[in-house]
Amino acid sequence: MAAVCSYHSCIGIGRKAQPFARTQYTSRGTLTDTQRYRWQASAYFYQNEGFGSHLGLQLEQDLNQNSVVRLDNDFFFRDESDDWLWQHNLYNMTQLSDSSALISGIYVDGLTQPNYQVNEYLLSVRWRKNALREWLFFEVEPFVLWRRDESFDASYGLAL
């Protein structure tokens, strides 16, 4: 089990031009030849929003040479809401060619107050294509979204 750890801190100007400070610790490594993990812990302070923190765990399993399943678990605490926001994602990522991939998954999130409740589900399939440069890519993502504030009625969409 090899692990690589990193730590960094920064001070800057963030969203809505508010000063912030942030510190983050990350550890990533392998469990077996086909399994990897990454966990992360961070704390931050935004002038207008107060303190916050993030805890995350990511697990990956190779299915074959071109396909990986990833499970993401994230918890965010925000001082302004005095609540934990949680997110769980399950993805299947398949490389179709040197310049394209297909990413399908399910996403669920919610809050811990007043109890551990679901706020939304998202089911999507994303086709990604690199174009012109290594860092430039285009995506087409049809999705279905179910939100608590919409009585969990299905909303259909297409993200580009």
Side-chain angles (χ1 to χ4, degrees):
M1 258 192 346
V4 175
C5 302
S6 64
Y7 171 80
H8 72 273
S9 296
C10 63
I11 296 174
I13 303 294
R15 58 184 177 265
K16 300 179 186 174
Q18 53 182 324
F20 76 91
R22 177 181 173 156
T23 187
Q24 177 176 301
Y25 177 82
T26 302
S27 176
R28 66 181 73 224
T30 58
L31 299 170
T32 69
D33 290 343
T34 62
Q35 297 174 329
R36 290 164 300 286
Y37 73 89
R38 181 183 71 137
W39 72 269
Q40 184 178 60
S42 64
Y44 54 86
F45 177 80
Y46 280 87
Q47 181 181 7
N48 299 341
E49 297 172 11
F51 287 98
S53 61
H54 168 244
L55 299 170
L57 174 65
Q58 182 182 85
L59 301 169
E60 281 187 353
Q61 170 69 53
D62 294 340
L63 296 178
N64 57 46
Q65 187 176 357
N66 297 324
S67 193
V68 173
V69 171
R70 177 184 291 163
L71 175 64
D72 290 337
N73 297 283
D74 293 289
F75 292 85
F76 302 90
F77 181 80
R78 296 167 296 182
D79 199 27
E80 69 177 359
S81 63
D82 194 29
D83 196 3
W84 286 92
L85 167 69
W86 54 268
Q87 299 174 338
H88 304 302
N89 310 294
L90 181 63
Y91 298 109
N92 180 29
M93 299 173 284
T94 303
Q95 184 175 354
L96 302 174
S97 69
D98 288 342
S99 63
S100 67
L102 190 64
I103 304 159
S104 55
I106 186 164
Y107 163 93
V108 60
D109 80 11
L111 298 169
T112 59
Q113 299 295 329
N115 54 31
Y116 198 85
Q117 65 183 10
V118 173
N119 281 344
E120 75 180 29
Y121 298 95
L122 176 76
L123 184 64
S124 72
V125 177
R126 184 179 338 154
W127 175 73
R128 176 180 284 182
K129 174 78 173 159
N130 280 95
L132 304 174
R133 302 267 190 258
E134 182 179 305
W135 51 267
L136 180 61
F137 59 90
F138 299 97
E139 293 181 337
V140 177
E141 181 180 16
F143 63 87
V144 183
L145 175 66
W146 296 269
R147 294 177 47 101
R148 175 177 294 282
D149 60 359
E150 297 173 353
S151 302
F152 292 109
D153 291 333
S155 297
Y156 302 93
L158 180 67
L160 302 174

